[in-house]
Amino acid sequence: MNRIITLTFLIAFSISAIGQIRIDDIVVPEKLTFGEEELTFNGGAMRKVLSFKTYAGALYTKQKYNEDKKVLDSDETMAIRLNIASKKVTNERMIKVFRKGFDDAMYGNTQSLDARIEDFLKLFDSPMKINDYYDLVYLKGKGIKTFKNGKELGFIKGRDFKYALFKIWLGHEPACQIIKGGMLGISE
């Protein structure tokens, strides 16, 4: 009887582990579905500050990408998932990081996006906890739909907004070079 219970447990554990990918201490799914679109893990990495883990970033796409420009220029549905790994990552700090990221990504030329950036930043006004995750989903030809722990927070229109947002991690001067390399499946 114990063997049957043990075998059943091992089979159940094996099935639940299929389709998951580990980024340091964070486990992310191999596939995500938004509406009718199924996206596959392209790559990801953990951001560390002074050896402290802060968040994991992962890119999900319909096809495999290893070039930043192709991701940024693509008009296909794709997503970035951010998993919070530290209590030091607060919504106030995340808003500051996004604000600086947009400014850096657009070389200070954010005027055409300023109203949408402010609307986007308002989506992050609730407290963050370890293991919270955010999906920043670009819907082909439409814009960015943002989710927190699977719950929709809001929508920001425009492919130009997607370009600026994704450029925070995938631009020439990304917020974190390690995450950029990880998202593109390039080992650092």
Side-chain angles (χ1 to χ4, degrees), residues 155-172:
F155 176 78
I156 307 296
K157 69 177 180 164
R159 185 172 170 195
D160 58 339
F161 186 81
K162 172 259 186 179
Y163 180 85
L165 178 64
F166 278 46
K167 199 172 176 195
I168 292 172
W169 293 278
L170 296 168
H172 291 297

Side-chain angles (χ1 to χ4, degrees), residues 97-115:
V97 166
F98 276 125
R99 194 176 302 282
K100 182 178 182 336
F102 278 114
D103 193 55
D104 290 350
M106 301 306 292
Y107 306 107
N109 299 316
T110 61
Q111 296 79 8
S112 65
L113 300 173
D114 282 345

Side-chain angles (χ1 to χ4, degrees), residues 18-42:
I18 293 173
Q20 297 181 337
I21 295 168
R22 184 174 285 284
I23 301 173
D24 213 293
D25 295 339
I26 301 291
V27 176
V28 298
E30 182 181 0
K31 296 187 182 295
L32 294 176
T33 303
F34 296 100
E36 310 249 334
E37 303 276 359
E38 183 177 82
L39 305 176
T40 302
F41 180 81
N42 195 83

